[in-house]
Amino acid sequence: METTHPVVTNWLTDNSDLLIQYSVNIISAILILFVGSFIVKLVSKGVVNLLESKRVDASMVQFIGSLVRYALLVMVVIAALGSLGVEMASMIAVLASASLAIGLALKGSLSNFASGVLIVIFRPFKTKDHIEVSGVAGSVQAIDIFHTILTTGDNKMVAVPNSKIMSGPIVNFSRHEARRINFEIGVSYQSDLKKTKEVIARVLKSEERILALPAPTIGVLALADSSVNIAVRPWVKTADYWKVYYDTLQAIKEELDREGIQIPYPQMSVHLNRKEI
């Protein structure tokens, strides 16, 4: 049978206390990471539940919950390193000396974090709002510390960096209770404009979801190349916007057809000249 080399045996004997200490430190670090992660999950969940019970806005709850979770995880990692015998003073000194390099490397992430804080403070939008930012339109699902999560109309998830949001225009379609629908209806030049406006007004009045105040606006918008364009501007509740848009546009078309009012379409006249040889 093979036996352990005498040198190895002597080394193990001489350093048994050191090996035991290292083993204890490693096991302690693993336990700290395991138990600490469990505690972090409980604490962050408790913070979220507390904020929700206080009816804090969901966007702020999400952001604060993420912030608490990551901050506690950093503390757990530092505690685990401390149990391994790593000198905290030395580590802090190294991190301080490398702070410039770290800051440059994480410039984008720090910018996103700072922008996330500004979004939570100034609240240009909240969860479930329908917004358009950085060329993307969708409903806000969550405001994280680095990204804002949107769900588009065709059910795609888009994570928009917070810095991109704060550096450009923010269009919030859900902020106000009422929105105006903008129709542009073109009728032929032979149409009776007075009758046309009366027909459109009748359609708007029959639609119960259109608000009486502010009153709808109907007027001649432009004398175009092949049509007289009528501007139709009814107001609706924000939640009813698209349903009323589709139903009203169809109703206007059908009512104009019943009244014999023509909606022109582009036409081209071609004249051929035949030359006899």
Side-chain angles (χ1 to χ4, degrees), residues 71-129:
L72 292 178
L73 284 175
V74 170
M75 295 174 63
V76 169
V77 172
I78 292 176
L81 292 175
S83 70
L84 290 174
V86 178
E87 293 290 340
M88 291 297 102
S90 301
M91 182 183 296
I92 293 174
V94 171
L95 290 176
S97 62
S99 60
L100 179 59
I102 294 174
L104 292 175
L106 300 178
K107 181 180 179 182
S109 297
L110 293 175
S111 177
N112 288 327
F113 174 77
S115 298
V117 173
L118 293 177
I119 290 173
V120 171
I121 292 175
F122 294 106
R123 299 178 64 187
F125 53 83
K126 60 183 184 297
T127 54
K128 305 304 179 183
D129 280 357

Side-chain angles (χ1 to χ4, degrees), residues 47-48 51-52 55-67 116-117 119-123 125-127 142-143:
V47 170
V48 169
L51 293 175
E52 289 177 345
R55 297 183 179 180
V56 178
D57 183 72
S59 59
M60 187 173 294
V61 171
Q62 179 74 22
F63 186 86
I64 295 176
S66 299
L67 190 61
V117 173
I119 290 173
V120 171
I121 292 175
F122 294 106
R123 299 178 64 187
F125 53 83
K126 60 183 184 297
T127 54
I143 302 173

